[in-house]
Structure formats: structure tokens, C-alpha cells
Amino acid sequence: FKHRGLEFRDVLSDAYVQSKKKLNLSITFDEPHFYSRYIPPEILDINHQTDVYNDIVAFYNWHEGEIFGVEIYNEKIAGMHKQLFEIIWKMGKKEI
């Protein structure tokens, strides 16, 4: 990411924060290429991962033995999910 000058933004949920604590993970990424914001479950209960890049939307999850993943290659669907992300991003908090 740094070498190519790319930017990564993610929205964190309680489930993600709790899983990091449970697994004792301290993986962090520093700005200026990696940015995170927190959104409380009262606003959005994030219960699976969603990645949006180029014209692709990927949905995936692994929880208690249930694993799924799907990628959708579609400009309109990716465009809408990018818009939804921007709305949620603006509502998120920088600090957890």
C-alpha cells in the first residue's frame, strides 16, 4: 500500500473490536495510508466483512465454523456500496 500510494479505509464494529481483544491481537496500521473509524451497533450492526474495490464488492465471513464468501463484479453495485460506505464513514468516530 505504502509503495503504491494506496489508501485503505475501514469501518470497525463492536464485533471486530471484541474479536481483537479475545484473540489478543494488536495489529494496527498507521496513517497516512490506513484509516479506521468506529460505528456503534445502534447505527449499524456489522456482522460480516464487506470489501469494495474497483468494480468489485466482496462479502465474506467466518464465524463458529460457518464460512462464506462471494464477489460481485458489477459497476453499479460497487458504485452504490461505495456511496453507502461514504455515508457510514462520515458517521463513524475516529476513536474507539
Side-chain angles (χ1 to χ4, degrees):
F1 271 84
K2 289 181 180 182
H3 178 72
R4 293 181 57 200
L6 299 176
E7 183 179 282
F8 178 88
R9 296 185 299 157
D10 63 348
V11 177
L12 309 176
S13 66
D14 281 349
Y16 177 79
V17 172
Q18 293 302 322
S19 69
K20 279 184 66 171
K21 288 179 182 177
K22 182 178 179 180
L23 297 172
N24 200 22
L25 295 176
S26 60
I27 299 169
T28 57
F29 300 102
D30 295 325
E31 295 179 10
H33 299 280
F34 298 91
Y35 303 91
S36 295
R37 293 205 179 160
Y38 169 77
I39 193 95
E42 298 81 24
I43 295 175
L44 180 65
D45 184 20
I46 302 171
N47 59 19
H48 64 277
Q49 295 293 120
T50 304
D51 292 346
V52 183
Y53 52 96
N54 302 327
D55 291 337
I56 302 166
V57 180
F59 300 102
Y60 56 97
N61 191 27
W62 54 94
H63 179 70
E64 297 180 359
E66 179 185 340
I67 301 171
F68 79 88
V70 64
E71 286 184 335
I72 299 171
Y73 291 70
N74 183 284
E75 181 180 355
K76 288 183 179 183
I77 293 172
M80 187 190 82
H81 279 273
K82 288 175 184 178
Q83 291 176 52
L84 291 170
F85 178 85
E86 292 301 333
I87 292 166
I88 296 164
W89 179 260
K90 290 176 185 174
M91 297 173 73
K93 299 176 186 176
K94 287 187 177 184
E95 302 296 324
I96 296 176

